[in-house]
Amino acid sequence: MKGLYLILLSFLFGCNLPDMQTGKEVSYYFDQPAQIWEETLPLGNGRIGMMPDGGIERENVVLNEISLWSGSKQDTDNPYAYYSLANIRRLLFEGRNDEAQDLMYKTFVCKGTGSNLGDGANAPYGSYQLFGNLVLKYTYPNESDSIAEYRRRLNLSEAIASVSFKRGNVNYQREMFTSFSGDLGVIHLVADTDRALNFSLGMNRPEHATISLDGKDLLMRGQLPDGVDTLEMKGMRFASRVRIVLPKGGDLATTDSCLSVRSASEAIILVSLGTDYFDKDGAGQSLEKYLSQAESKDFSTLRREHTLAYRSLFDRVSLDLGRGERDHLPINERLAAFAQDKNDPGLAALYFQFGRYLLISSTRQGLLPPNLQGLWCNTIHTPWNGDYHLNINLQMNHWPAEVTNLSELHLPLIEWTKLQVPSGERTAKAFYNARGWVTHILGNVWEFTAPGEHPSWGATNTSAAWLCEHLYTHYQYTLDKAYLRDVYPTMKGAALFFVDMLVQDPRTKYLVTAPTTSPENAYKMPNESVVSICAGSTMDNQILRELFTNTIEAAGILGVDSTFAAELAAKRDRLMPTTIGKDGRIMEWLEPYEEVEPTHRHVSHLYGLYPGNEISIEHTPELAEAARKSLEVRGDQSTGWSMAWKINFWARLQDGDHAYKLLGDLLRPCVDEHTKEVKGGGSYPNLFCAHPPFQIDGNFGGTAGIAEMLIQSQTGLIEFLPALPSAWKNGSFSGLKVRNGGEVSAKWTEGLLTEARLKAIVPGIFRIKLPANSANLSLKKNQKPVSLPVIDGMLTVDLQQGDELILIM
């Protein structure tokens, strides 16, 4: 009888049930409505976002749009900054760092309020903001009927959120998605009893919006403050238009600010929203275009077109780490069980795909990169303005892009980086009298590149160099020379800034960045002063060596700038090398200062381990061991994104079990089930990462870390299962990417690789490090047996585009 009931529901609602045998669907669910925002289900198509809470009588759907920012472009050039630079450097070189920091607080900051200490909604810096709320109020034939079989599910395989339950004798089904094909929100409501669907619909926003009707469409319009004119709104314009279609009849009524449906059995709600950031008419009549195109199609067509467009990205990669008895638990219960017993490998695979889902959902070509909260926020004053923090957070957002086969989703960050160059050139001239371009820790949609208002964190000036690592990484995975030619001037400009900015430390004779920081960390001086500002830091040196090396390589590939490349090589040789202190750890600063907080969340001096590749077990074993000791002192417990970073560190050190332990820490439930109080870093019930509050970088860092445990290629060698934890004894993956233009798959049993595949996306020579169990290796190239020489455990193969090499152990 139960099986018949499930088949009937599938027929009635047109939903795809999970294939329990093949396990192709990736999803999670709750058995009750959301009580807090971090229990709602995130939907997004790279531009618009929806987060429904699945309420029974009243359902709130949070709306977002990736470009909705208050604020405006501003003049941040501080005319006094450069005149103090020489004195700041002199004080640093005299060991009077505390005095140098005091002088910086007075002079070497941006003009104006900067980010307004993270509360920029009404300042020129601005803030990413909630678009609004869509509110549905449902009424039922008999309000006293009880609720049964409630399920609220996020289907990652199709990017669809659903709610189903039974009230009395009526089955209700809701499906929502942000269409990847139609670029609008779609909500489908169904009751399996005629005329049993009744609801009203309204919209609201805490400020700066008006609600009205235009015919039978519900319309919301508004304009945000630009942060300059406080008397009237002169900032970004935005609008949303909502239309209801009743395919099987019913009554649609309107009031001044509400749409009401009575006596229906099916309804399609179309939600179109936009701003004038990219499209000057984006908050006007263009909204109608999306509605009209969607209105002419039935729901099954809208759904099918959406899933086809979405799955062209999501289906590129599969990961199977095994199944267990917890697969069918509600996600909040599953997280709680995992905190007590880590025997749930399928949860890691789910989390991996959730990170890919979030990246696909929060950015797309031609738009903006995901911000601190990706695409999703539910407030006007978003934490830290929901901006682009450039001392790791924005970069971490893109760590999974290449390796998890979403290379084109790297491009919004790359295009955003190129847009910062003109402003960065002005900042370089005004603050440092240097050529090239620079940006510091803060970034927004208004091209803010100046030092922040608080030097302890705002003085970090290697952010442009770090961003350029992403420009070159995209080339390393794609080998697209036309692309490299396009981004090379941006890389060259970032390197040129440091050619001018670097100065010689008279004490050590090394070239140093001065002033600078080791991001957000502080140290004690001999006089017990707590200081953040320094001359040179290990992270700076590692990033600059990487920038100079990548720029030199790019110039060689393109056949340009040989003289400039030689100058960069000479500068690179004069940077202080990564150094091991007397305690056996990597030194964080040029001098062996005592950390104020030894367990600080930033582990910036290990940049060369990850995401860089300066430190490795194979090529620099002493530094790798010092990095291990540094991590042991830093400790595992931290904010969510910091623990995600540490997964990648331990994976690079090829300690899979420690990486898995960090993954367990990252997945720790941080919300009390009863009080809903948030305690410490970990994961919210909907799998959002908790700093706390929610920051999406931890999700992306965790996904990248899982990939790093399965495949590595940063040293020029492809290594399968380099940090496989003992918890993942059997499994497989397909579709991951490696540098030099390859796509890889693998299978393993009892922790040993049994089969690996390498497909050339572009022609190239690939080097593969063979595992210890490869004595009986057999090879096939394009399904035909081949023989290739193995030298020192390495296999080298020359592949043309489309060729596939299969390794069977």
Side-chain angles (χ1 to χ4, degrees):
M1 188 68 187
K2 183 178 180 182
L4 179 63
Y5 175 71
L6 288 173
I7 293 171
L8 179 61
L9 284 182
S10 177
F11 175 77
L12 288 170
F13 300 139
C15 63
N16 294 328
L17 292 173
D19 187 337
M20 302 310 294
Q21 292 183 329
T22 64
K24 290 182 180 179
E25 180 187 288
V26 183
S27 66
Y28 68 73
Y29 78 96
F30 293 89
D31 59 7
Q32 59 185 359
Q35 298 180 52
I36 57 175
W37 179 65
E38 293 86 356
E39 292 177 339
T40 62
L41 304 178
L43 297 168
N45 68 355
R47 185 178 73 85
I48 60 176
M50 301 196 305
M51 292 191 72
D53 64 13
I56 296 172
E57 274 79 24
R58 182 185 187 277
E59 182 167 33
N60 192 77
V61 183
V62 177
L63 303 176
N64 295 110
E65 210 275 358
I66 192 63
S67 66
L68 187 66
W69 267 78
S70 60
S72 56
K73 293 185 180 182
Q74 57 180 306
D75 176 12
T76 58
D77 294 345
N78 182 346
Y80 304 104
Y82 178 67
Y83 296 108
S84 68
L85 183 59
N87 277 333
I88 292 168
R89 287 172 169 168
R90 177 182 58 81
L91 291 168
L92 288 171
F93 295 147
E94 292 175 358
R96 298 155 66 184
N97 298 22
D98 48 354
E99 295 178 49
Q101 180 165 280
D102 290 342
L103 181 57
M104 287 192 69
Y105 271 77
K106 296 173 184 175
T107 62
F108 209 83
V109 294
C110 59
K111 178 179 163 183
T113 59
S115 69
N116 203 34
L117 296 178
D119 189 16
N122 296 309
Y125 185 83
S127 175
Y128 182 65
Q129 297 192 8
L130 161 79
F131 193 97
N133 295 289
L134 190 70
V135 181
L136 295 106
K137 296 180 180 179
Y138 302 95
T139 57
Y140 299 91
N142 188 344
E143 296 292 340
S144 64
D145 285 337
S146 61
I147 307 298
E149 301 171 23
Y150 181 94
R151 178 167 290 203
R152 182 167 57 92
R153 183 174 59 132
L154 180 61
N155 183 339
L156 306 182
S157 301
E158 298 188 330
I160 294 175
S162 63
V163 174
S164 60
F165 59 89
K166 187 174 184 179
R167 186 157 195 169
N169 295 318
V170 184
N171 293 298
Y172 293 92
Q173 173 85 13
R174 308 172 195 162
E175 286 194 324
M176 301 188 190
F177 56 86
T178 47
S179 177
F180 277 76
S181 57
D183 206 14
L184 80 172
V186 178
I187 302 173
H188 186 226
L189 308 176
V190 175
D192 71 347
T193 298
D194 191 33
R195 303 170 67 86
L197 182 63
N198 304 280
F199 65 93
S200 63
L201 183 152
M203 278 192 292
N204 65 66
R205 190 176 194 276
E207 60 183 30
H208 307 318
T210 59
I211 314 298
S212 63
L213 283 175
D214 183 8
K216 292 187 177 181
D217 289 351
L218 188 62
L219 189 63
M220 180 171 71
R221 290 192 181 98
Q223 189 164 14
L224 298 184
D226 65 0
V228 178
D229 191 321
T230 59
L231 297 179
E232 58 180 297
M233 299 299 105
K234 293 187 176 180
M236 190 179 296
R237 294 185 300 118
F238 63 94
S240 178
R241 184 180 287 267
V242 180
R243 183 173 299 170
I244 297 178
V245 180
L246 301 176
K248 297 180 180 178
D251 301 321
L252 175 63
T254 63
T255 65
D256 290 342
S257 58
C258 182
L259 304 178
S260 296
V261 170
R262 294 290 180 270
S263 302
S265 58
E266 180 184 5
I268 303 172
I269 304 169
L270 305 173
V271 185
S272 185
L273 56 141
T275 77
D276 64 356
Y277 180 74
F278 286 108
D279 176 5
K280 293 307 174 186
D281 190 44
Q285 291 303 308
S286 63
L287 300 180
E288 168 68 29
K289 174 185 70 175
Y290 297 117
L291 291 175
S292 297
Q293 291 172 348
E295 188 179 23
S296 65
K297 302 172 183 178
D298 60 23
F299 176 71
S300 62
T301 301
L302 294 171
R303 191 185 195 280
R304 182 176 64 254
E305 292 175 348
H306 155 73
T307 55
L308 285 173
Y310 166 74
R311 294 186 74 161
S312 68
L313 294 166
F314 186 80
D315 285 355
R316 294 175 184 175
V317 172
S318 68
L319 175 60
D320 182 2
L321 297 176
R323 294 190 164 271
E325 59 185 14
R326 300 184 200 162
D327 290 356
H328 308 300
L329 288 177
I331 188 60
N332 54 320
E333 295 181 19
R334 191 172 184 182
L335 287 173
F338 190 70
Q340 301 301 317
D341 177 3
K342 299 299 188 291
N343 184 24
D344 186 0
L347 181 60
L350 171 64
Y351 192 77
F352 170 83
Q353 291 288 25
F354 183 62
R356 294 185 68 246
Y357 167 83
L358 292 177
L359 187 58
I360 296 168
S361 301
S362 61
T363 191
R364 73 176 191 235
Q365 286 179 262
L367 298 181
L368 291 167
N371 58 53
L372 275 173
Q373 295 199 325
L375 171 64
W376 302 277
C377 74
N378 67 332
T379 57
I380 299 297
H381 299 268
T382 306
W384 297 289
N385 298 316
D387 69 2
Y388 304 120
H389 270 40
L390 304 176
N391 61 2
I392 185 171
N393 310 102
L394 178 61
Q395 292 91 332
M396 184 184 282
N397 284 0
H398 296 81
W399 287 353
E402 300 295 338
V403 68
T404 73
N405 213 333
L406 298 171
S407 288
E408 61 267 60
L409 301 186
H410 220 157
L411 296 177
L413 171 69
I414 291 165
E415 292 302 314
W416 181 87
T417 299
K418 290 161 58 180
L419 284 175
Q420 310 313 301
V421 172
S423 175
E425 289 174 337
R426 293 191 296 272
T427 297
K429 185 68 175 177
F431 286 82
Y432 304 93
N433 194 30
R435 298 170 294 169
W437 73 283
V438 65
T439 189
H440 297 75
I441 182 178
L442 299 175
N444 61 12
V445 299
W446 309 118
E447 289 131 50
F448 187 100
T449 56
E453 66 272 20
H454 204 281
S456 68
W457 47 261
T460 299
N461 50 40
T462 47
S463 295
W466 191 336
L467 289 167
C468 285
E469 183 261 335
H470 286 260
L471 271 60
Y472 196 62
T473 295
H474 183 71
Y475 170 75
Q476 291 177 313
Y477 275 87
T478 63
L479 300 188
D480 185 340
K481 191 177 287 190
Y483 157 82
L484 184 63
R485 189 172 291 110
D486 177 63
V487 299
Y488 174 74
T490 303
M491 296 173 60
K492 179 181 177 180
L496 182 62
F497 168 76
F498 288 102
V499 166
D500 287 0
M501 188 267 195
L502 287 170
V503 293
Q504 180 176 283
D505 183 341
R507 301 165 297 179
T508 65
K509 308 306 179 185
Y510 288 120
L511 292 180
V512 297
T513 48
T516 190
T517 70
S518 186
E520 303 188 42
N521 205 359
Y523 57 89
K524 290 181 182 179
M525 292 185 62
N527 64 5
E528 296 299 313
S529 296
V530 175
V531 180
S532 297
I533 305 303
C534 64
S537 66
T538 295
M539 185 194 79
D540 281 14
N541 292 329
Q542 292 172 350
I543 289 178
L544 292 189
R545 271 191 293 274
E546 178 183 68
L547 172 66
F548 290 172
T549 298
N550 290 348
T551 306
I552 291 167
E553 287 184 4
I557 293 166
L558 298 173
V560 299
D561 288 335
S562 58
T563 301
F564 181 62
E567 184 178 13
L568 292 183
K571 296 279 187 181
R572 180 183 59 188
D573 290 344
R574 296 182 61 194
L575 297 170
M576 179 177 173
T578 299
T579 303
I580 301 173
K582 291 181 179 179
D583 59 4
R585 294 185 288 155
I586 302 289
M587 288 177 57
E588 188 163 357
W589 297 275
L590 299 187
E591 300 177 56
Y593 296 123
E594 178 187 353
E595 309 107 309
V596 174
E597 184 185 357
T599 58
H600 195 271
R601 61 193 177 279
H602 282 264
V603 199
S604 304
H605 53 309
L606 299 191
Y607 177 95
L609 178 61
Y610 189 96
N613 62 359
E614 178 179 299
I615 302 172
S616 70
I617 288 178
E618 184 171 0
H619 298 295
T620 60
E622 296 85 2
L623 288 178
E625 180 58 29
R628 179 186 297 272
K629 290 181 180 179
S630 299
L631 286 170
E632 288 170 349
V633 173
R634 230 21 165 225
D636 293 341
Q637 292 298 322
S638 190
T639 57
W641 64 264
S642 178
M643 293 188 290
W645 193 3
K646 292 169 186 173
I647 296 171
N648 290 273
F649 286 142
W650 286 105
R652 283 283 173 92
L653 292 174
Q654 300 193 352
D655 190 335
D657 285 336
H658 203 134
Y660 186 70
K661 190 268 181 187
L662 260 300
L663 179 60
D665 293 340
L666 182 62
L667 287 167
R668 183 190 71 86
C670 67
V671 175
D672 185 281
E673 279 287 303
H674 304 291
T675 66
K676 301 302 178 183
E677 181 182 359
V678 180
K679 295 182 179 180
S683 292
Y684 290 105
N686 66 358
L687 293 184
F688 272 175
C689 182
H691 180 288
F694 163 51
Q695 276 189 206
I696 203 168
D697 41 22
N699 289 105
F700 294 135
T703 290
I706 293 170
E708 204 69 23
M709 296 158 77
L710 300 172
I711 191 72
Q712 293 182 20
S713 62
Q714 72 279 359
T715 64
L717 300 175
I718 299 170
E719 187 168 2
F720 290 92
L721 311 182
L724 186 72
S726 55
W728 301 346
K729 293 185 182 300
N730 306 299
S732 65
F733 68 79
S734 66
L736 296 180
K737 299 286 288 294
V738 292
R739 291 163 182 82
N740 209 35
E743 185 175 302
V744 292
S745 304
K747 296 179 181 178
W748 64 94
T749 302
E750 294 300 319
L752 296 177
L753 185 68
T754 57
E755 181 182 307
R757 293 173 181 251
L758 166 64
K759 182 178 180 180
I761 306 304
V762 296
I765 297 175
F766 299 88
R767 299 173 65 213
I768 302 170
K769 183 177 180 179
L770 297 176
N773 65 312
S774 60
N776 298 317
L777 174 70
S778 64
L779 301 173
K780 289 184 179 180
K781 182 178 177 182
N782 299 330
Q783 299 299 324
K784 295 181 179 179
V786 294
S787 178
L788 295 170
V790 175
I791 302 174
D792 295 330
M794 308 294 173
L795 185 153
T796 302
V797 60
D798 188 349
L799 298 177
Q800 298 301 308
Q801 183 176 359
D803 283 351
E804 184 178 48
L805 182 72
I806 303 175
L807 298 82
I808 301 173
M809 307 302 159

